[in-house]
């Protein structure tokens, strides 16, 4: 793909923005270098997806939003997501920057850092600089480079060594101004033997076309455990391109829970790099496509360490004219003995014009390993429908039960009750039930 990259801002303007925001010199230099890179790079190459035809150039401009003093002043569009969070740890980003940040005092006393990334670079610069853009390199493609140049708001979460955080930390990221750039960066660092659960929601409330270029970097220290849950419910006019990556050290664990409930074109890539011996990854992805959506979901596990298990499960339901490409990639490097990579991708199509493509990929450069995959694409089983109807259930209810049964292996394994209920509600809404 050789489409020329259109830069949404010039170097002089970017330098002015960085200076006016009070950013340190190293960050301004990083932004300018990434912008220069973006001009030389092409768009990412996605399997059977013409991303060059998508709305991937409409970044808008940096526009700060007014801070929120109390949650009762938050936009109505996110009120249900922040209900009863007055005493919890919460960050709200609205368009180009954070408008609300709160860290529970008991966590702050243990050394936990939870703030927006733009604040973190000023208050914890050395720590942020050590990890920022280390998992997702700006030179990978033009989307990554532009993200590194233009990111705003975002989240920085650091949990110190041996600290176990029992209560989930949450973030809500809202875009409701099509002229404002929305490029949040999530950076999470779990130090040795620490534990945390982080949950975020991406929401849009606008009718004009917009773009979300997002990146997530998670660094899991030795013996640490990170559970990362995210739900994307952006509108039909918002294009969503998101890259997530975790680097896991010895005996560390990363668990991904991803709910892809957007209404617009979506591309996401969720990858675990199992760097250390005994490190592990578990990824669960649930997606529903409607209308004329074009969807491309990739889940990856790259094994470097010995005795490293990974498991990936993706369940997608397509209706109307929606089309999806579901990729599962397990890469076992030379020397990763006794690695175990398993993956399952299944797509259920609810209409004759819906399309789904499941692609399991195993790339193995080591002999002493275990790996397996399963993939299927099909329509609702008519025999199952007729069987349920013979028991007095209407056709509509019978099809609904089959759909929920199809999604249940993923939804039922989500350990957060609130997230399970939210995903159930969003599935019902997208399926028009």
């Amino acid at each position: 793909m050789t489409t020329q990259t259109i830069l949404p801002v010039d170097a002089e303007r970017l330098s002015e923005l960085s200076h006016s925001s009070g950013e340190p010199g190293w960050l301004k230099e990083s932004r300018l270098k990434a912008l220069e890179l973006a001009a030389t790079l092409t768009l990412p190459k996605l399997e059977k997806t013409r991303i060059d035809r998508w709305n991937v150039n409409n970044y808008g401009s940096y526009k700060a939003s007014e801070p929120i003093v109390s949650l009762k002043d938050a936009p109505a569009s996110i009120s249900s997501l922040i209900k009863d969070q007055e005493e919890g740890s919460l960050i709200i980003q609205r368009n180009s920057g954070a408008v609300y940040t709160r860290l529970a005092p008991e966590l702050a006393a243990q050394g936990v850092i939870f703030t927006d990334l733009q604040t973190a670079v000023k208050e914890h610069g050395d720590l942020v600089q050590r990890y920022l853009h280390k998992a997702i390199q700006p030179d990978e493609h033009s989307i990554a480079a532009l993200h590194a140049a233009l990111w705003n708001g975002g989240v920085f979460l650091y949990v110190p060594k041996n600290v176990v955080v029992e209560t989930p930390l949450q973030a809500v990221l809202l875009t409701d101004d099509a002229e404002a750039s929305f490029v949040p960066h999530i950076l999470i660092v779990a130090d040795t033997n620490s534990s945390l659960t982080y949950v975020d929601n991406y929401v849009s409330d606008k009718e004009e076309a917009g773009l979300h270029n997002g990146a997530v970097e998670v660094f899991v220290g030795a013996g640490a455990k990170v559970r990362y849950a995210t739900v994307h419910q952006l509108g039909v006019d918002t294009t969503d391109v998101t890259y997530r990556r975790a680097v896991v050290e010895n005996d560390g664990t990363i668990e991904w829970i991803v709910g892809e409930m957007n209404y617009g074109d979506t591309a996401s890539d969720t990858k675990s790099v199992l760097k250390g011996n005994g490190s592990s990854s578990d990824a669960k992805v649930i997606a529903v496509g409607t209308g004329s959506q074009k969807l491309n979901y990739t889940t990856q596990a790259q094994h470097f360490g010995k005795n490293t298990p990974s498991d990936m499960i993706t369940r997608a339901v397509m209706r109307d004219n929606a089309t999806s490409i579901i990729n599962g990639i397990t890469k076992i490097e030379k020397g990763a003995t006794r690695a175990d990579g398993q993956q399952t991708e299944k797509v259920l199509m609810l209409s004759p014009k819906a399309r789904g493509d499941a692609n399991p990929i195993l790339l193995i450069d080591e002999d002493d390993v275990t790996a397996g995959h399963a993939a299927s694409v099909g329509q609702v089983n008519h025999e199952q429908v007729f069987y349920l109807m013979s028991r007095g259930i209407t056709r509509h209810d019978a099809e609904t039960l089959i759909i929920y049964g199809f999604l249940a292996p993923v939804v039922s394994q989500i350990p957060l009750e609130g997230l399970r209920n939210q995903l159930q509600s969003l599935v019902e809404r997208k399926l028009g039930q």
Side-chain angles (χ1 to χ4, degrees), residues 94-406:
R94 188 174 189 181
N95 300 312
S96 303
V99 295
Y100 181 88
T101 303
R102 185 184 190 278
L103 172 62
E106 60 272 19
L107 295 182
Q110 297 180 73
V112 175
I113 302 171
F114 185 56
T115 186
D116 66 281
L117 189 55
Q118 287 185 297
T119 297
V121 296
K122 304 170 191 175
E123 299 180 355
H124 311 281
D126 291 344
L127 186 58
V128 173
Q129 187 179 10
R130 192 187 313 166
Y131 295 100
L132 184 63
H133 306 317
K134 298 301 190 294
I136 302 176
Q137 300 286 338
D139 61 0
E140 293 185 15
H141 43 68
S142 63
I143 294 288
L146 284 174
H147 176 91
L150 302 174
W151 68 263
N152 49 41
V155 172
F156 179 67
L157 170 57
Y158 171 77
V159 178
K161 182 178 179 179
N162 297 326
V163 173
V164 176
V165 180
E166 301 286 355
T167 306
L169 301 103
Q170 301 189 53
V172 177
L173 304 106
L174 169 68
T175 169
D176 60 1
D177 183 346
E179 297 180 354
S181 62
F182 184 58
V183 195
H185 187 101
I186 313 300
L187 178 58
I188 296 176
V189 180
D191 212 331
T192 305
N193 294 324
S194 64
S195 178
L196 68 94
T197 297
Y198 168 83
V199 181
D200 63 26
N201 276 267
Y202 290 75
V203 184
S204 65
D205 183 16
K206 61 186 179 185
E207 295 181 358
E208 300 87 353
L211 169 67
H212 167 242
N213 176 352
V216 175
E217 296 183 295
V218 182
F219 295 88
V220 185
K225 297 181 180 179
V226 174
R227 177 182 291 158
Y228 188 108
T230 182
V231 177
H232 288 228
Q233 45 182 313
L234 301 174
V236 66
D237 296 313
T238 302
T239 299
D240 184 0
V241 182
T242 302
Y243 284 83
R244 309 178 188 95
R245 197 161 299 167
V247 179
V248 190
E249 303 292 345
N250 291 346
D251 300 314
T253 299
I254 177 68
E255 180 181 358
W256 299 102
I257 302 169
V258 180
E260 298 284 7
M261 297 293 153
N262 290 329
Y263 287 83
D265 294 337
T266 302
S268 76
D269 188 308
T270 304
K271 181 177 182 179
S272 299
V273 179
L274 301 180
K275 180 181 176 182
N277 296 335
S279 57
S280 63
S281 169
D282 184 356
K284 303 179 183 73
V285 180
I286 179 173
V288 178
T290 58
S292 57
Q293 281 185 279
K294 303 293 187 295
L295 308 171
N296 188 296
Y297 304 127
T298 298
T299 310
Q300 303 187 56
Q302 186 174 17
H303 299 248
F304 288 97
K306 304 178 188 299
N307 298 295
T308 51
S310 70
D311 193 22
M312 300 181 288
I313 300 176
T314 302
R315 293 285 174 105
V317 176
M318 298 292 115
R319 61 174 293 186
D320 305 324
N321 296 313
T323 61
S324 64
I325 305 295
I326 312 294
N327 302 306
I329 303 174
T330 301
K331 178 72 168 72
I332 301 179
E333 304 290 351
K334 183 67 176 177
T337 55
R338 295 182 297 282
D340 184 1
Q342 304 294 329
Q343 57 170 283
T344 303
E345 296 84 37
K346 294 189 177 182
V347 184
L348 182 64
M349 296 178 294
L350 304 184
S351 67
K353 295 184 178 180
R355 292 290 180 268
D357 191 354
N359 304 307
I361 301 169
L362 300 177
L363 305 171
I364 302 174
D365 292 329
E366 179 57 58
D367 295 330
D368 184 15
V369 301
T370 303
H373 65 76
S376 68
V377 176
Q379 297 182 337
V380 173
N381 188 310
H382 295 295
E383 291 184 0
Q384 292 178 343
V385 174
F386 293 147
Y387 173 80
L388 292 172
M389 290 176 64
S390 71
R391 295 298 186 266
I393 299 174
T394 66
R395 176 181 291 275
H396 175 271
D397 289 344
E399 291 181 346
T400 299
L401 287 171
I402 292 170
I403 294 168
Y404 291 160
F406 174 78

Side-chain angles (χ1 to χ4, degrees), residues 80-85 168 170 197-201 227 229-231 233 257 259 261 286 411-427 429:
S80 63
L81 299 175
I82 59 176
K83 184 180 179 182
D84 302 324
Q85 286 300 309
Q170 301 189 53
T197 297
Y198 168 83
V199 181
D200 63 26
N201 276 267
R227 177 182 291 158
T230 182
V231 177
Q233 45 182 313
I257 302 169
M261 297 293 153
I286 179 173
V411 176
S412 63
Q413 292 185 46
I414 295 173
L416 304 172
E417 182 180 1
L419 186 61
R420 277 201 311 272
N421 295 337
Q422 181 190 0
L423 281 175
Q424 186 78 10
S425 175
L426 290 172
V427 168
R429 186 189 310 172

